[in-house]
Amino acid sequence: MKAANPRGTAPGTPPRTRILIVGGGYVGMYTAIRLQRKLRADEAEVTVLTPEPYMTYQPFLPEAAAGSISPRHVVVPLRRVLKGCRIVIGQAHHIDHAKRTVTLTTLASEDEGAGPVELAYDELVLAPGSVSRTLPVPGLADYAIGFKTVEEAIGLRNHVIEQMDIASSTRDPGLRDAALTFVFVGGGYAGVEALAELEDMARYAARYYHNIKPEDMKWVLVEASDRILPEVGPEMGVYTVRELRRRNIDVRLETRLDSCENRVAVLSDGARFPTRTVVWTAGVKPHPVLAASDLPRNERGRLACTAFLTVEGVEHAFAAGDAAAVPDITAAEGTTGPGLECAPNAQHAVRQAKVLADNLIASLRGEVLTEYAHKYVGSVASLGLHKGVAHIYGRKIKGYPAWFMHRAYHLSRIPTFNRKMRVLAEWTLSGLFKREIVSLGSLEHPRAEFELAAGGGHKAHPPHPAPDPPKDSQG
């Protein structure tokens, strides 16, 4: 491996401190923004290592999937907002903090044939985020769809509309039933909001199909625990279940997905649903790069951190967000008892990034570090157009007010004025005009038509990994 170690200084001048931020999500981007704003030009150089050249504002993924927001407007281009930083598009594979190096590959690594490279640093900020937590469910890897990236959200939207097209054109009642059955696994924010928004969109789209009615579609939510949306409290969780069931959505609590082989979702309560759509949103786990490092982790694989957002027992290493187990000192001071950690959500991540950046600068300048303390104010969730639930400062809100609060809060949180105005404009236009119900699944295979014209065969849609499902009915 060859070392990549540019210092960017003129001969005879003291080298600048090399700050490496691993991850370009909430924590990575906001930390870099604050560092480039507060650091002197001769004080340090900031490098952001990220697999994607943009930050995804994940709370807007359900609305992007439903077509309320353009996918371009739920992402923030890092090169535009981080003009004072060096952006490296690549994947970190190993961190040797003892040597202060990160082993990575870039988009050019395969073509260069040189293999991974090492990037040296002086100060490390670990914010790689999380990845989907999967279980060894038969058929899951072959058939399920995730809901964590903008690509997955738009792919799911295209997939749902495509299934409606299949159901409208087939003469096979078994295929039609499977195409119109949508199973979502996981009753947290991602699962509930994605299901609610897509069901809303599909119900609207059904009016444009001559042979599909909203009641022909089956929407199933599977949750292993005894409630959904635990963040909004038990009462609002019960209300959400009641609201979803009122819309003929089959909510199954204390139920697990046992298998989805051969395009049949088999649940732990014995129910069987022939389906061509299984959406997996059953939690996340820390990014694999944490396990490939010499930094301390807790029993759940997250980095052991202090309230100062430093990695416990390690110098020159900071962390926050999904990857970090940060003690919640506001909870420790209350009646809930010590030992609690900050929830891995955007509300904490954005605030942690500010404290992390300030503490990193204070560390460089030999100043006193500040503890991170933020009392959780509550949560909001959308259940489709004009529907929502919220639990804010102890107040329980539902229906249109909660939905409006959801939009207002996230509009204020999405980075850059440019993105705020674009999202607001799209919401305004969607209120004045009809929804878009077009599937652009062919975008996933842009060369298909040219390959067909050139005689190479149609490669737009690879063969389905299994034949059409058997005509099972619900058990």
Side-chain angles (χ1 to χ4, degrees):
M1 293 183 294
K2 59 182 181 179
N5 185 20
R7 299 304 292 261
T9 56
T13 61
R16 294 183 294 171
T17 299
R18 298 164 299 181
I19 300 174
L20 175 63
I21 301 175
V22 178
Y26 289 102
V27 174
M29 188 191 75
Y30 279 108
T31 299
I33 288 175
R34 195 164 182 86
L35 288 175
Q36 72 177 6
R37 184 183 305 154
K38 301 190 73 172
L39 283 169
R40 299 188 301 270
D42 61 346
E43 194 170 12
E45 58 181 10
V46 180
T47 300
V48 179
L49 172 61
T50 174
E52 303 293 347
Y54 53 79
M55 185 275 268
T56 302
Y57 191 72
Q58 292 184 339
F60 278 159
L61 289 184
E63 292 208 44
S68 300
I69 303 177
S70 167
R72 299 189 309 276
H73 299 157
V74 302
V75 298
V76 180
L78 295 177
R79 297 188 190 279
R80 175 177 293 177
V81 298
L82 301 179
K83 296 179 181 178
C85 302
R86 176 189 176 208
I87 308 297
V88 177
I89 306 303
Q91 184 67 58
H93 298 288
H94 178 73
I95 298 173
D96 189 340
H97 191 64
K99 296 181 179 179
R100 308 279 179 87
T101 60
V102 171
T103 302
L104 62 102
T105 54
T106 68
L107 296 178
S109 294
E110 184 177 348
D111 291 334
E112 289 177 342
V117 298
E118 284 186 351
L119 183 64
Y121 61 85
D122 299 309
E123 301 285 343
L124 175 67
V125 176
L126 262 178
S130 57
V131 298
S132 295
R133 175 176 60 87
T134 59
L135 299 175
V137 176
L140 186 68
D142 297 321
Y143 301 106
I145 304 171
F147 197 79
K148 196 165 178 8
T149 68
V150 67
E151 293 86 357
E152 289 174 329
I154 303 310
L156 182 57
R157 168 186 169 81
N158 292 333
H159 175 82
V160 168
I161 297 176
E162 185 178 84
Q163 297 312 302
M164 297 179 71
D165 290 336
I166 291 173
S168 176
S169 59
T170 185
R171 297 181 180 180
D172 184 338
L175 176 58
R176 174 186 168 88
D177 183 61
L180 294 180
T181 300
F182 308 95
V183 178
F184 286 68
V185 184
Y189 273 122
V192 172
E193 290 191 330
L195 183 151
E197 291 282 357
L198 284 165
E199 189 274 338
D200 220 11
M201 181 270 293
R203 183 161 26 86
Y204 175 87
R207 68 180 65 182
Y208 297 102
Y209 290 81
H210 70 282
N211 58 351
I212 295 180
K213 298 185 290 292
E215 52 267 29
D216 294 337
M217 294 182 280
K218 298 176 187 175
W219 297 83
V220 184
L221 177 63
V222 180
E223 169 55 38
S225 68
D226 61 353
R227 61 173 177 161
I228 64 174
L229 291 181
E231 298 88 352
V232 298
E235 185 178 332
M236 288 294 95
V238 170
Y239 166 80
T240 303
V241 171
R242 188 166 64 246
E243 168 68 16
L244 294 178
R245 286 174 174 166
R246 188 183 65 80
R247 290 159 60 176
N248 293 321
I249 296 173
D250 187 353
V251 180
R252 294 178 178 248
L253 303 179
E254 299 183 278
T255 306
R256 300 179 309 279
L257 176 68
D258 284 345
S259 170
C260 56
E261 285 186 305
N262 299 320
R263 295 191 181 275
V264 177
V266 180
L267 307 185
S268 60
D269 62 2
R272 295 169 58 87
F273 293 97
T275 178
R276 299 169 63 87
T277 308
V278 174
V279 183
W280 183 265
T281 62
V284 296
K285 63 181 180 180
H287 194 283
V289 74
L290 302 186
S293 75
D294 55 353
L295 297 170
R297 295 176 294 140
N298 67 4
E299 64 280 359
R300 287 180 292 176
R302 299 169 73 191
L303 289 172
C305 293
T306 69
F308 299 101
L309 302 179
T310 59
V311 179
E312 203 169 78
V314 178
E315 295 183 342
H316 309 291
F318 297 78
D322 291 359
V326 178
D328 188 349
I329 61 175
T330 61
E333 294 169 353
T335 59
T336 52
L340 295 180
E341 299 170 358
C342 295
N345 56 37
Q347 186 178 145
H348 281 296
V350 174
R351 291 169 173 84
Q352 287 174 355
K354 177 181 177 181
V355 176
L356 190 156
D358 289 346
N359 280 349
L360 178 50
I361 294 172
S363 175
L364 293 178
R365 297 173 181 173
E367 300 171 354
V368 178
L369 276 60
T370 304
E371 286 187 315
Y372 172 74
H374 170 67
K375 190 171 183 179
Y376 196 62
V377 300
S379 302
V380 291
S382 171
L383 302 179
L385 190 63
H386 300 161
K387 298 175 283 289
V389 290
H391 190 186
I392 306 294
Y393 293 113
R395 295 188 60 188
K396 303 175 181 65
I397 307 169
K398 57 189 177 182
Y400 183 89
W403 171 83
F404 182 82
M405 186 176 294
H406 173 271
R407 281 200 162 184
Y409 173 76
H410 287 299
L411 183 64
S412 71
R413 294 293 94 189
I414 190 169
T416 77
F417 180 79
N418 179 305
R419 284 294 177 272
K420 294 183 199 305
M421 291 299 99
R422 289 179 183 272
V423 169
L424 183 59
E426 287 197 312
W427 281 344
T428 303
L429 291 174
S430 65
L432 297 175
F433 301 100
K434 296 180 180 180
R435 285 179 184 246
E436 292 291 345
I437 58 167
V438 177
S439 168
L440 296 177
S442 59
L443 289 176
E444 300 169 22
H445 310 278
R447 296 190 64 248
E449 288 299 323
F450 182 77
E451 289 178 353
L452 181 63
H458 205 315
K459 299 181 181 179
H461 300 287
H464 292 301
D468 293 330
K471 299 177 178 62
D472 297 62
S473 60
Q474 180 179 336

